Amino acid sequence: AWDTSSYCQRWQLYLSLAPLRGFSGHNADLLNMFRGSQYLVWYFRALGARIGKRVCLYPNGADPMMTEPELVTIQDGACIDEAALIAHLNTQGVFTLNRLHVGEQCVMRTFSRLQQSAVMEPRSVLGEHTLILPADRVQEGEWRQGWPAGRGYVIATPLRKGDLPALLTTSKEEAITSKA
């Protein structure tokens, strides 16, 4: 609420300053020149995001990039492609904000979406066109796919450091038996 938090005022200031990123009158965004680079990581850190080392952000762009960077944590070695990190939810006029967490060496592929309060544990992967619902947790090493992604439905077994995924299996049980 406007009277209990400064968030709304800071958001309005951000929206007022965002057009300054445009150039040449072509509705182009200066951030697109820095896709996938350390400069983009520094930009989002300056806006309050907690971002680890060796993180690749938006190498193919995104629309929107990060809507609430101060609520996002991205750990070392993660890669966020043309994906959405959305820390807000507006349900029947009730607007809520919550944190997002992307673990170490996680990958969000093109058009995947992580919604408020969701957590990606280390080395998990969201395939193309995947939706993780609010407060959902992607377990360590899981590969999820679907809109929305099914709970417990994985494409590969949980990985340990150094393991290669058993691709194209439909459940943990099949992946485990295929490893044996």
Side-chain angles (χ1 to χ4, degrees):
W2 288 93
D3 57 347
T4 59
S5 171
S6 66
Y7 179 81
C8 293
Q9 288 89 357
R10 289 184 285 124
W11 177 247
Q12 286 302 317
L13 178 63
Y14 171 76
L15 289 179
S16 299
L17 295 175
L20 297 176
R21 295 188 325 232
F23 61 94
S24 302
H26 297 287
N27 203 21
D29 192 336
L30 185 65
L31 294 182
N32 283 328
M33 295 174 62
F34 300 110
R35 298 185 308 194
S37 74
Q38 185 64 33
Y39 295 110
L40 195 57
V41 170
W42 291 338
Y43 173 78
F44 284 111
R45 281 181 184 158
L47 292 177
R50 292 174 210 81
I51 302 175
K53 299 174 187 170
R54 301 176 320 280
V55 170
C56 181
L57 291 178
Y58 310 116
N60 295 307
D63 185 30
M65 284 196 176
M66 221 181 284
T67 55
E68 297 90 7
E70 69 278 7
L71 297 174
V72 175
T73 299
I74 304 172
Q75 291 185 321
D76 296 348
C79 181
I80 313 298
D81 196 2
E82 194 173 348
L85 293 165
I86 308 296
H88 69 271
L89 186 64
N90 190 350
T91 305
Q92 298 179 349
V94 177
F95 186 79
T96 56
L97 293 164
N98 251 320
R99 298 196 175 279
L100 289 174
H101 182 86
V102 178
E104 183 179 318
Q105 297 177 348
C106 287
V107 175
M108 292 179 68
R109 303 283 304 261
T110 303
F111 301 123
S112 59
R113 181 180 178 121
L114 193 65
Q115 289 195 245
Q116 72 156 4
S117 302
V119 173
M120 289 182 70
E121 292 183 358
R123 293 172 298 287
S124 57
V125 176
L126 300 184
E128 289 84 354
H129 299 278
T130 299
L131 170 65
I132 300 300
L133 295 171
D136 201 357
R137 177 175 293 272
V138 182
Q139 299 299 317
E140 183 173 351
E142 277 187 338
W143 288 48
R144 293 269 188 105
Q145 177 70 52
W147 196 274
R151 291 186 184 274
Y153 187 81
V154 297
I155 297 175
T157 60
L159 300 176
R160 293 178 304 273
K161 284 188 179 181
D163 282 353
L164 295 175
L167 295 176
L168 303 176
T169 59
T170 57
S171 71
K172 284 185 181 181
E173 290 77 27
E174 284 183 31
I176 290 169
T177 56
S178 68
K179 262 185 147 177

